[in-house]
Amino acid sequence: MLKPSLYGFTLPQLEEYVRQEGQPTYRAKQIFHWLYQQRVQDVEEMTDLPKNLRSTLAQTTLLCSMKELVSQKSQDGTIKFLLELHDGATIETVIMRHDYGNSVCVSTQVGCKMGCKFCASTLGGLVRNLTAGEIVEQVVLCQRLLDRTHERVSSVVLMGSGEPLDNYDASIGFVDIVTDPEGLKIGQRHITISTVGLVPAIYRLADEMRGITLAVSIHAADDETRSKMMPVNKAYDILTLLDACRYYYEKTGRRITFEYALINGHNDKIQDAQKLAKLLQSLPCHVNLIPVNYVPERDLTRTPQDQIRAFANELERLSINATVRREMGSDIAAACGQLRAQQARERI
Ligand code: SAH
């Protein structure tokens, strides 16, 4: 059986582990510091731990389990990694530079089963869930790179391949680990979970009262259009989804972000902006407009720039806060599963 990743332990779980090894609880904190503050790559480097604990850790857990297959740096500073997991599966992780800090975009699954018609990550279906440790390791890997320039990961978005709420426990375990004050200390408010809109999981997340930001991929303002683009809409239609979003806002006080990818001729008319504004009018939210990224298998083109602007202006006119997502790393295959898809194509 595969050994569990050391990055997958929350601090309380690690305390339990050391207790079972007959060690005092404070050893767990020491390990956490080595993992997340010193960012060592080998248990042997944890020099203040007793030798026998170090060898038990090395025998029963894994530390660095990912291999960097490709890394690409774009002119705007965006860095994209293609990472190989222990079983040969590949995922993408991206570091994005903003004026407010560095954010990392992590994957939560290998592939995805949500079937959105415009997305590259779902082309081959779901391969498997990532473990919490594999999600955490992506951030540690990025932090190690940023260490060279004395920078830190200040925020994380769960917007890489996969549907985080379809891998709920691992995604929440991830949040617990990276927000721990003994670890990477990333504030809950600086973590965004992006979802296609799995309604029961949104309620669950709200009830667990996490302070994380919820981003919902809405992408259309009527059920007919949305169901064509996103099969999930047949299970949870727009109004059902918006009820869950309202509940999330009421429970957490966190404004919802809605993602809306503009696809030429599909969802980008001024009337669509008006319908969207009507749907969202009484919900504290923010709309993030994304010019759709080209996916060769998908034959979709983006809305012209002036029409994107007009769409955003119409939302603003109707009192809906909207921004157009700044494109990052467009000179490298930085968008949504492109690097992995590109590699898969080359393999064929
Ligand atoms: N499964 C989650 C998170 C991963 S995708 C979700 O769907 O929200 C992150 C965002 O990128 C989502 O809003 C998704 O709809 C969007 N996206 C996927 N493919 C895209 C493309 N080709 N162009 C623009 N946005 C895309």
Side-chain angles (χ1 to χ4, degrees):
M1 209 188 79
L2 186 74
K3 296 188 266 186
S5 165
L6 206 42
Y7 293 119
F9 287 81
T10 60
L11 186 55
Q13 287 167 345
L14 208 50
E15 284 170 349
E16 181 55 32
Y17 177 97
V18 294
R19 225 176 284 131
Q20 282 185 8
E21 291 305 315
Q23 294 282 339
T25 325
Y26 70 83
R27 295 283 184 218
K29 256 187 209 163
Q30 287 179 308
I31 299 171
F32 234 60
H33 293 166
W34 284 115
L35 290 176
Y36 300 115
Q37 292 176 13
Q38 307 299 325
R39 302 186 263 280
V40 298
Q41 304 201 46
D42 191 323
V43 170
E44 277 313 306
E45 292 175 65
M46 303 183 177
T47 46
D48 58 2
L49 299 184
K51 238 182 160 9
N52 58 346
L53 180 57
R54 268 184 273 163
S55 59
T56 314
L57 280 172
Q59 276 160 24
T60 58
T61 64
L62 272 181
L63 195 50
C64 298
S65 69
M66 298 179 177
K67 202 165 94 196
E68 199 181 298
L69 287 186
V70 181
S71 83
Q72 293 182 338
K73 190 165 180 183
S74 104
Q75 280 157 6
D76 60 20
T78 303
I79 303 170
K80 177 145 196 168
F81 300 99
L82 184 70
L83 303 173
E84 185 178 64
L85 311 179
H86 66 84
D87 56 359
T90 55
I91 52 163
E92 295 178 10
T93 305
V94 188
I95 303 177
M96 290 165 291
R97 311 301 183 96
H98 306 278
D99 36 11
Y100 55 83
N102 299 305
S103 80
V104 169
C105 175
V106 294
S107 293
T108 54
Q109 297 179 317
V110 182
C112 182
K113 66 174 184 223
M114 295 298 139
C116 300
K117 294 289 183 284
F118 45 84
C119 181
S121 300
T122 200
L123 286 169
L126 176 67
V127 179
R128 72 168 171 89
N129 278 332
L130 295 188
T131 62
E134 286 170 323
I135 310 175
V136 173
E137 195 177 337
Q138 295 171 60
V139 178
V140 176
L141 198 133
C142 293
Q143 181 58 64
R144 261 194 217 113
L145 185 84
L146 292 172
D147 282 341
R148 295 187 199 161
T149 43
H150 310 287
E151 293 174 88
R152 76 179 281 261
V153 175
S154 51
S155 58
V156 179
V157 294
L158 284 78
M159 281 191 194
S161 71
E163 167 52 44
L165 296 186
D166 184 43
N167 187 13
Y168 190 93
D169 291 341
S171 297
I172 292 310
F174 162 80
V175 174
D176 283 339
I177 295 164
V178 298
T179 54
D180 198 298
E182 301 292 339
L184 290 169
K185 302 185 187 119
I186 296 171
Q188 277 203 9
R189 278 160 193 268
H190 296 119
I191 296 184
T192 301
I193 288 193
S194 178
T195 177
V196 290
L198 295 180
V199 165
I202 294 176
Y203 281 104
R204 186 173 164 198
L205 200 64
D207 285 337
E208 294 185 5
M209 288 298 253
R210 314 270 167 175
I212 49 190
T213 304
L214 185 68
V216 173
S217 300
I218 190 154
H219 299 321
D222 63 80
D223 282 318
E224 199 191 330
T225 312
R226 191 166 192 267
S227 293
K228 274 191 218 150
M229 296 167 68
M230 303 176 72
V232 70
N233 197 65
K234 293 174 196 148
Y236 309 109
D237 63 18
I238 295 179
L239 291 182
T240 307
L241 173 59
L242 292 180
D243 281 346
C245 292
R246 192 173 308 280
Y247 184 81
Y248 191 87
Y249 172 73
E250 281 162 7
K251 275 276 179 168
T252 64
R254 306 285 297 147
R255 202 164 67 134
I256 313 282
T257 297
F258 288 98
E259 294 158 280
Y260 196 107
L262 286 158
I263 308 173
N264 200 6
H266 284 259
N267 61 354
D268 58 351
K269 291 191 292 297
I270 286 299
Q271 290 90 313
D272 294 312
Q274 290 160 349
K275 277 193 269 180
L276 185 64
K278 196 155 178 229
L279 285 171
L280 304 182
Q281 63 186 355
S282 61
L283 181 63
C285 67
H286 173 93
V287 175
N288 203 349
L289 298 169
I290 316 167
V292 76
N293 289 307
Y294 179 63
V295 180
E297 285 81 353
R298 298 306 203 192
D299 195 30
L300 298 168
T301 52
R302 22 175 82 176
T303 301
Q305 202 55 40
D306 52 345
Q307 207 174 321
I308 295 179
R309 218 34 278 162
F311 197 99
N313 290 344
E314 186 65 4
L315 288 175
E316 289 281 346
R317 190 182 71 79
L318 298 167
S319 308
I320 303 291
N321 185 280
T323 46
V324 180
R325 184 182 288 178
R326 187 159 67 92
E327 284 198 71
M328 308 196 82
S330 48
D331 53 333
I332 57 174
C336 313
Q338 289 183 353
L339 192 56
R340 179 168 172 263
Q342 192 174 307
Q343 194 215 26
R345 268 177 233 122
E346 282 161 12
R347 274 186 189 168
I348 299 167

